[in-house]
Amino acid sequence: MQISDLPYPDPGVPDARSGPRFLVWLGRGQLGGQLKSFCWGMLHFSGIAGLPYAVGLGVDAVVDREPKRLLLVGALLLVIGVAISVGDAMLHRTAVTNWITAAARVQQLLARKTAELGSALTRRVAAGEVVAVSTGDVEKIGWFVEAVSRFLAAVFSVVLVCVGLLFFAPELGVVVAIGVPLIALASLPLLPRATRRADVQREKAGKATELASDTVAGLRVLRGIGGEELFLGRYREASQEVRKAAVRSARMWALISAIQVVLPGALMITVVWYGATLVSQGSIGVGELVAAFSAVATLLYPLRHFEEIAMAYSFSRPSAKRAARVLSLTRTEAAEAPARSEPVKAPAPGGDLYDPQTGLLAPAGRFTAVVCGDPDLAGRLAERLGGHPMDEAPASDAGAEAGTGTTADTAGAPSVLLGGVGLDELELDTARALVLVQDKDPVLLSGTLRELFDVPASGAVESAAALGAAQCADVLDALLQSAPDGVKDAMDARITERGRSLSGGQRQRLALARSLVTDPEVLVLDEPTSAVDSHTEARIADGIAALRTGRTTVVLASSPLLLDRADRVVLIDAGTVAAVGTHRELLHREPRYRAVVTRETDEEQRLGGLERTELTEALTEIEESA
């Protein structure tokens, strides 16, 4: 895999049982790239390993006054120089390729998992954690994958130098062969502490980032209540904690680096002192001493890769653990369903939408409104209707750290049926195409309005019709006024990140228009008009009803303006269907419905009930007297 070939056609199925297993899986997936990098690394490090012996041969040729041999040594040094240069350039090229392709594979896996789980992902893992995994952790994982081939090549060169010295200068070769492993292993006892400090730094940095994001998102509100200085002080404290943690982590890594400098220096001094003694005794020649000294000096370079692989693994192991935890999440019921040899076919158009858990039935081609007294229940019901079987509480901080969350899922709950076919039994892409769910806080990505509406759709609904039904005329005018002078069409106006330049009602209407453009067989809307005024809400309700004629539409809301325009209204109480009828019928005969829609208190319900009783008795007397 080359960088130009990215993204992967299929990133594969990861081994997410643990962090180390995930790293091994990544390495197996890039054996070709690792082999190329290792071969170029062997060429590079072999040149480095052969350099001391060539220098020693040259010194011996000068001492023995043999010009021809010195000329041959010069040619050998030229070949070694070319090998070092070419090997280094290609090693860097292939290693960086391994880094980028590994990071890209992990990002594709995370993106696929996010699309699979949808909003259920952030209930099991904090949103900040997902962002951290897909950014910083991905780079650390790629770093380890890149460092492996360089480390193996460095090990090869170290072994080659030590073995060569044992034959070239046995007395000094024994000293080097004993000293090099000690240097390589000297830092291992410090690595766990260094890793823990790095994890503390990352945790504090993540909290500071979340605090900064929350502050930026709520800046308008903070200014309104005069809370800017308060949150600025909190972020200042958090950033100082990050700084202290970073300094503590850097001290430990500085100690490890110092060991990697001091110990090789001590070995070099030992070799020079012992070698000089052997030369004075006549046991070895000057060329052998120079070769041994040069060998120890050149070993400093490959030994750095021992420190690098230790650092890379220390940083990447917790990162891989976090990535594996996210990638191991599954759609609960889909994971428990028995394997099928063939995918289930999509139901024929025109089927009813039915939820066996609550008893909710949305007839095909009808506008159904659902009223829930609990807003959280409404959100979970919307997700169930979209094919998300999980009903979970957000993961606690402790659970997130340990890899488990506080979960109250409905693992045994039956799947929502569309035309008699369970949505969880369908392929994920098929289920998403049939049922579209717009939650109460939809996201607008940055880009032009035209790009916002460039979504998979049936083609039956034009952007203009959807924008009109969602009452977006003022939104288009606002976007066009704020656009650069050269922009003449509002569809070419740009939307800032998450639509922050727009009001909440404007964002909500644009998101509704985007959902209407897709024209799915079933459209589920969760509080689509909660941020608009009553006049606009009434027009939007008429627009939805007109544009979705003949299509199944489910709206979870408690607004009388929306409910009055629905073909049928369903009241959900205590998790099950409590009443079905039109808005006016339920207002008249169902106190629980009236309490949710009109916000009546218990006392108001009692007084209203007495008034209706008195009115009924009066009407009865009039009928009897007549």
Side-chain angles (χ1 to χ4, degrees), residues 365-404:
R366 304 286 297 279
F367 184 176
T368 302
V370 180
V371 176
C372 296
D374 182 3
D376 292 334
L377 174 61
R380 294 194 297 269
L381 176 59
E383 291 171 1
R384 275 189 53 79
L385 296 177
H388 295 284
M390 291 171 289
D391 180 6
E392 301 169 342
S396 63
D397 293 339
E401 187 66 25
T404 59

Side-chain angles (χ1 to χ4, degrees), residues 15-27:
D15 186 348
R17 289 175 291 177
S18 66
R21 289 177 182 271
F22 180 61
L23 290 175
V24 171
W25 177 83
L26 275 178

Side-chain angles (χ1 to χ4, degrees), residues 465-511:
L467 289 166
Q471 301 298 309
C472 293
D474 64 314
V475 185
L476 299 179
D477 293 338
L479 288 173
L480 195 56
Q481 289 176 5
S482 61
D485 295 336
V487 178
K488 303 300 182 182
D489 188 352
M491 296 298 292
D492 296 322
R494 293 194 64 81
I495 301 173
T496 57
E497 183 222 354
R498 298 181 67 90
R500 297 194 189 279
S501 60
L502 303 173
S503 67
Q506 290 173 329
R507 289 196 298 270
Q508 195 174 58
R509 282 177 282 161
L510 280 181

Side-chain angles (χ1 to χ4, degrees), residues 13-81:
V13 180
D15 186 348
R17 289 175 291 177
S18 66
R21 289 177 182 271
F22 180 61
L23 290 175
V24 171
W25 177 83
L26 275 178
R28 286 204 310 266
Q30 297 185 207
L31 288 178
Q34 294 285 5
L35 183 60
K36 289 180 182 178
S37 186
F38 177 69
C39 291
W40 288 115
M42 284 209 313
L43 176 64
H44 173 62
F45 286 109
S46 296
I48 293 176
L51 192 60
Y53 307 113
V55 172
L57 292 175
V59 172
D60 285 338
V62 172
V63 172
D64 297 339
R65 298 180 181 276
E66 297 183 6
K68 292 183 178 180
R69 186 150 59 106
L70 184 60
L71 185 62
L72 292 175
V73 171
L76 178 60
L77 287 172
L78 179 62
V79 173
I80 290 175

Side-chain angles (χ1 to χ4, degrees), residues 57-241:
L57 292 175
V59 172
D60 285 338
V62 172
V63 172
D64 297 339
R65 298 180 181 276
E66 297 183 6
K68 292 183 178 180
R69 186 150 59 106
L70 184 60
L71 185 62
L72 292 175
V73 171
L76 178 60
L77 287 172
L78 179 62
V79 173
I80 290 175
V82 172
I84 293 175
S85 300
V86 174
D88 187 27
M90 297 305 298
L91 171 62
H92 179 75
R93 178 186 179 90
T94 54
V96 171
T97 299
N98 290 335
W99 182 345
I100 294 176
T101 52
R105 185 191 295 271
V106 178
Q107 286 181 324
Q108 282 187 247
L109 290 170
L110 291 171
R112 185 174 68 181
K113 182 59 65 176
T114 302
E116 176 186 344
L117 297 179
S119 60
L121 175 62
T122 54
R123 292 203 306 274
R124 307 182 70 180
V125 182
E129 184 78 4
V130 178
V131 174
V133 170
S134 61
T135 54
D137 286 338
V138 163
E139 291 187 4
K140 293 180 178 66
I141 293 171
W143 177 26
F144 175 74
V145 173
E146 174 213 9
V148 167
S149 55
R150 280 207 307 268
F151 167 71
L152 294 176
V155 171
F156 172 79
S157 69
V158 169
V159 173
L160 190 63
V161 168
C162 292
V163 172
L165 274 180
L166 287 174
F167 287 97
F168 193 77
E171 296 88 348
L172 296 177
V174 172
V175 176
V176 174
I178 294 174
V180 167
L182 294 178
I183 294 172
L185 300 176
S187 302
L188 288 182
L190 300 176
L191 289 178
R193 182 177 300 179
T195 302
R196 286 195 297 271
R197 292 190 179 185
D199 286 342
V200 171
Q201 176 194 353
R202 179 191 177 280
E203 179 183 355
K204 292 183 179 295
K207 291 181 179 178
T209 301
E210 289 183 5
L211 180 60
S213 301
D214 292 341
T215 303
V216 172
L219 192 58
R220 182 182 302 176
V221 177
L222 291 177
R223 286 175 175 170
I225 63 176
E228 294 175 87
E229 290 299 325
L230 174 62
F231 276 83
L232 181 61
R234 291 181 180 178
Y235 180 73
R236 186 181 295 113
E237 293 176 2
S239 64
Q240 288 302 312
E241 291 292 328

